[in-house]
Amino acid sequence: MDHILEHEGDPVPDLGGVTESSKPSGGAAMDVDEDDEDAEALARLGIVKGATDASGSSGGADLEAKSIKCSQCGKVFKNTALANYHAEKSGHDQFEESTEEIKPLTEEERKQKLEELRAKLAEKRSHKAEEEAKEYKANENIRRKQGKDINQLREEIQAKEAIKAAEAKKREKIEEAKAKAAVKAQIEADKKARAEKAAREKALREGKPFPDAGPSNPTPAQAAAAKPSQSGPSRDNPETRLQIRLASGGAPITTTLPSDSPLRHVAEFVAAQSPDIDVDSVSLSQAFPRKTFSAAESSKTLKELGLTPSAALIASW
């Protein structure tokens, strides 16, 4: 635009030679052909020759072309540079010569034109700034949404890790309870064994018979006589063999505990079978005679509850 304003006062090139189409004779034929080629080249640039009559003679040969007019929109341009610029911007391709003279702009008109151009440029810049602001806002919304999704995913991962840690802690607690139950059972068994050993030694010193003492190689008759007595209930049996049927199903589990062990040791043994079982939620019952042991009876020994020397229990939770 600055280039156009700077060359606004330049004279319009003389196109009169282009519009002349008189046919020469003899050796001037080559010059006529060159003029025709120049005219065609100018026609390709969007400049159309002046109107001609039916006989082919120029109707405005005596008129001087002072401007170029767009036949499609009627705008008049001072020179070919402005006409070509208009053709590139508008896509118009039909122009003709015009005798209309374009007066040069005065200083006041030039300033006004510059102000209009500056106003248009400022408007374009403002519009571009608004578009960039909208684009930045959209990108910022996308970035915030992505950040929110990442934070949500991080929170979900942390929640899953917390659940895994809680489950691991629960399994560790159950394993610890199981180990404690095993240690308690071993302590009770050792205590019972030491008591039996002390009682046996005392009976031997005093010359009294020990109830469990007998010949190392009993005769078949003695073994047959002792068999019925062992099959019957005996509250003096140091150990109790238990068969426990779980309410969740499956094969019954068996264990042998000292008869002086409390009923809670049986609940701890059941809870040690699965990490999902809490020892405080285990309930023990007996099918025959039908009986459900209460929480107060968990501290009583197996001997006190009449479960020696063997018993069948049902465990539920």
Side-chain angles (χ1 to χ4, degrees), residues 1 67 71 93 128 160 269 305:
M1 187 61 70
S67 61
S71 302
D93 58 357
K128 183 178 179 180
K160 290 180 180 179
F269 173 76
L305 295 174

Side-chain angles (χ1 to χ4, degrees), residues 55-270:
S55 63
S57 61
S58 175
D62 297 335
L63 299 178
E64 182 181 358
K66 296 182 179 181
S67 61
I68 301 174
K69 182 178 181 180
C70 178
S71 302
Q72 293 178 257
C73 64
K75 290 184 178 181
V76 181
F77 304 96
K78 188 174 183 179
N79 51 41
T80 55
L82 295 175
N84 289 335
Y85 182 79
H86 173 73
E88 292 176 0
K89 293 297 182 181
S90 63
H92 297 171
D93 58 357
Q94 296 181 11
F95 295 86
E96 62 183 2
E97 296 175 351
S98 174
T99 58
E100 182 178 352
E101 183 178 2
I102 300 176
K103 295 180 181 181
L105 297 176
T106 63
E107 188 64 25
E108 186 67 25
E109 290 174 344
R110 185 187 297 272
K111 291 181 179 180
Q112 183 179 0
K113 192 71 174 178
L114 288 174
E115 290 296 331
E116 292 177 358
L117 292 176
R118 289 194 182 101
K120 288 182 180 180
L121 182 59
E123 184 179 358
K124 288 183 179 180
R125 289 177 178 175
S126 176
H127 180 70
K128 183 178 179 180
E130 291 178 359
E131 293 295 330
E132 290 178 351
K134 290 180 181 179
E135 184 178 357
Y136 175 80
K137 186 176 180 180
N139 293 335
E140 185 68 14
N141 292 335
I142 294 174
R143 187 187 64 80
R144 290 181 180 178
K145 186 177 184 302
Q146 291 177 348
K148 184 178 180 181
D149 294 340
I150 292 174
N151 291 334
Q152 184 177 0
L153 181 61
R154 187 182 292 111
E155 291 176 358
E156 291 177 357
I157 293 174
Q158 291 177 353
K160 290 180 180 179
E161 291 178 353
I163 293 174
K164 289 181 179 179
E167 291 177 352
K169 187 175 182 180
K170 184 178 180 180
R171 287 194 299 268
E172 183 179 354
K173 184 178 179 181
I174 292 172
E175 292 295 332
E176 185 179 357
K178 183 178 179 180
K180 287 182 179 180
V183 170
K184 288 181 180 179
Q186 186 64 37
I187 292 173
E188 293 293 335
D190 294 343
K191 186 189 295 185
K192 190 66 177 177
R194 288 195 299 269
E196 290 178 357
K197 183 178 180 181
R200 185 182 295 107
E201 291 176 352
K202 182 178 180 182
L204 292 175
R205 287 195 302 269
E206 294 177 355
K208 295 180 180 179
F210 189 71
D212 292 341
S216 58
N217 296 320
T219 61
Q222 290 175 341
K227 200 170 186 179
S229 62
Q230 291 177 358
S231 62
S234 173
R235 295 182 177 274
D236 295 332
N237 198 306
E239 294 182 347
T240 301
R241 186 175 183 277
L242 298 175
Q243 185 183 45
I244 305 171
R245 182 162 55 88
L246 302 179
S248 59
I253 57 176
T254 58
T255 184
T256 301
L257 297 176
S259 299
D260 293 336
S261 301
L263 186 63
R264 181 176 176 80
H265 287 185
V266 182
E268 292 176 352
F269 173 76
V270 173

Side-chain angles (χ1 to χ4, degrees), residues 261-265 267 280 282-284 291-302 304-305:
S261 301
L263 186 63
R264 181 176 176 80
H265 287 185
D280 295 330
V282 176
S283 176
L284 299 173
K291 179 181 179 181
T292 301
F293 298 99
S294 62
E297 293 176 317
S298 62
S299 60
K300 293 184 178 181
T301 63
L302 301 178
E304 292 174 347
L305 295 174

